[in-house]
Amino acid sequence: GESVGLHLPTLSVQEGDNSIINCAYSNSASDYFIWYKQESGKGPQFIIDIRSNMDKRQGQRVTVLLNKTVKHLSLQIAATQPGDSAVYFCAATTGANSKLTFGKGITLSVRP
Amino acid sequence: GAVVSQHPSRVICKSGTSVKIECRSLDFQATTMFWYRQFPKQSLMLMATSNEGSKATYEQGVEKDKFLINHASLTLSTLTVTSAHPEDSSFYICSAETGQATEAFFGQGTRLTVV
């Protein structure tokens, strides 16, 4: 089966620093990965995704790295801002239109 | 980007009553919609997968007679919590896929409180 987990429940960073959030997955057949941001009382918001044929993908201030050898995924946020404070989830799936399996979530807290 | 609207955002109901939550894809047709439940400080747990025109597929442990799902059109899926109990109080979230991409678009969630 699929299980996706995050290494740490909370992460506190200074405003302006870079943040790195890590995630491990168990199913080697997983081929699509997504990072979501969830603010209190709201639904998950798509941040960035990556397919298994890639190792790295960059967005605006965010980078996702995928290491299939160790089944590890990370989200890097550059110049972290107070608005980045939220819970972050990684999710994985296999195949198209397949259900997502979510990790437990990590709370990112940005210190001013 | 694609927009998924969920209604209501908050609802309080009495024990024993039923509550209907709507999930609409506003600018695309959703071949598949998903319903999740989220407890405080927990992750999203998939309840069921809903395909337009067919019966929903429920995850193990989810009572299909209690959580009724209807996906009557390509833009609307509903979740009805029947005979609600206080333990059904939770945050319910839907998501929708276009069928052309794996990315799922999420609604803003519904906070259900059963008193």
Side-chain angles (χ1 to χ4, degrees):
Chain A
E2 172 77 83
S3 70
V4 181
L6 298 180
H7 295 308
L8 297 173
T10 60
L11 175 65
S12 180
V13 299
Q14 188 73 37
E15 180 179 357
D17 288 351
N18 297 333
S19 303
I20 299 177
I21 303 172
N22 296 305
C23 177
Y25 61 96
S26 62
N27 189 348
S28 57
S30 296
D31 59 2
Y32 182 60
F33 307 86
I34 309 175
W35 280 102
Y36 288 96
K37 173 186 179 182
Q38 186 179 28
E39 298 175 342
S40 181
K42 297 183 179 180
Q45 177 185 357
F46 172 90
I47 301 174
I48 192 168
D49 61 355
I50 189 168
R51 298 197 178 275
S52 58
N53 60 351
M54 302 173 68
D55 297 323
K56 178 180 179 179
R57 191 157 187 234
Q58 288 184 294
Q60 188 177 10
R61 282 203 305 120
V62 294
T63 301
V64 55
L65 298 177
L66 175 63
N67 186 329
K68 295 182 288 294
T69 302
V70 295
K71 297 198 283 277
H72 183 270
L73 188 70
S74 69
L75 176 69
Q76 300 177 2
I77 304 174
T80 312
Q81 302 170 358
D84 295 326
S85 295
V87 178
Y88 289 81
F89 294 97
C90 64
T93 186
T94 55
N97 288 334
S98 182
K99 55 188 180 184
L100 290 169
T101 299
F102 281 82
K104 288 185 170 59
I106 182 168
T107 301
L108 176 64
S109 176
V110 182
R111 302 188 304 272
Chain B
V3 178
V4 175
S5 176
Q6 197 171 332
H7 178 81
S9 57
R10 290 178 175 270
V11 58
I12 301 174
C13 70
K14 293 184 177 180
S15 292
T17 62
S18 296
V19 174
K20 180 184 285 187
I21 302 170
E22 294 186 347
C23 181
R24 294 182 183 273
S25 56
L26 298 186
D27 50 2
F28 68 99
Q29 292 184 329
T31 56
T32 305
M33 288 186 172
F34 301 88
W35 287 97
Y36 297 84
R37 183 174 182 176
Q38 185 179 31
F39 291 106
K41 300 190 184 301
Q42 299 286 322
S43 187
L44 282 72
M45 297 297 295
L46 181 66
M47 299 175 65
T49 302
S50 172
N51 292 296
E52 186 267 337
S54 62
K55 290 184 178 180
T57 302
Y58 289 82
E59 294 300 301
Q60 190 174 7
V62 178
E63 300 176 58
K64 60 181 181 181
D65 294 330
K66 180 169 184 62
F67 299 99
L68 301 179
I69 292 173
N70 184 281
H71 194 158
S73 76
L74 285 172
T75 60
L76 174 64
S77 177
T78 61
L79 168 67
T80 301
V81 182
T82 62
S83 187
H85 291 144
E87 55 264 32
D88 297 325
S89 298
S90 190
F91 195 53
Y92 292 87
I93 307 170
C94 71
S95 73
E97 289 183 351
T98 64
Q100 297 178 357
T102 310
E103 180 184 344
F105 302 94
F106 284 82
Q108 62 268 48
T110 297
R111 172 72 60 192
L112 170 64
T113 303
V114 184
V115 298

